[in-house]
Amino acid sequence: MNKWLFFTLFFSVLLISACSNSDELSGHTFNVSHTPPFQEDIDDPDKYHSIMTLEFSDGKVSSANSGEGTYELKDDVLLLNFENENEQLEIEFTEFKESDKDFSEYSTLISRSELNITDPDKVSHFGSLHSSLTNDMLVEFLQK
């Protein structure tokens, strides 16, 4: 009888955790920083330049640079989408994985950054951030 109860309880915990909508990023804030240009500085966290700070919460992401948006983490791809009445900025990180550096949580590659503007005569809120993102740029997600 005890074995049956234990099995039922164990199976219930597995089922509940599998159905949970939370992900590993939710509830965390990171400084997204690009790697330093010199190989000798690669292990010095003070040499990493922050591109943006991202705060993740249940499918939503916020950034001082871009306001609030959405995110999706699937396999090793992280997709961010920021939108306002005039612009849409989409950033795709591929090869998203745990970092091998002690001071960083995740290592990834910016594979694509796309900015669409409806009216180019209006002020761009995402233009500055978009111009700082380069395809194939290696970045680290440093826990804040």
Side-chain angles (χ1 to χ4, degrees), residues 43 48 97-107 140:
D43 291 323
Y48 283 73
K97 61 185 178 205
E98 286 188 24
S99 178
D100 60 353
K101 296 175 180 29
D102 292 337
F103 56 87
S104 176
E105 293 294 317
Y106 301 100
S107 293
E140 297 284 332

Side-chain angles (χ1 to χ4, degrees), residues 1-17:
M1 181 71 167
N2 283 339
K3 289 181 183 179
W4 178 250
L5 180 62
F6 177 75
F7 176 74
T8 304
L9 182 62
F10 181 73
F11 184 72
S12 298
V13 169
L14 284 178
L15 185 62
I16 290 170
S17 63

Side-chain angles (χ1 to χ4, degrees), residues 58-123:
D58 296 325
K60 301 220 184 290
V61 61
S62 60
S63 167
N65 306 44
S66 304
E68 196 166 298
T70 59
Y71 74 94
E72 181 181 357
L73 177 61
K74 191 171 185 176
D75 299 323
D76 69 343
V77 177
L78 173 64
L79 186 62
L80 306 180
N81 189 16
F82 297 98
E83 193 170 343
N84 63 30
E85 63 280 347
N86 187 46
E87 302 168 287
Q88 179 187 15
L89 174 63
E90 191 171 274
I91 307 167
E92 183 178 72
F93 299 92
T94 55
E95 300 177 33
F96 193 84
K97 61 185 178 205
E98 286 188 24
S99 178
D100 60 353
K101 296 175 180 29
D102 292 337
F103 56 87
S104 176
E105 293 294 317
Y106 301 100
S107 293
T108 188
L109 181 72
I110 298 175
S111 60
R112 185 174 57 84
S113 170
E114 188 174 317
L115 177 63
N116 293 311
I117 300 175
T118 307
D119 184 354
D121 293 332
K122 290 186 178 178
V123 173

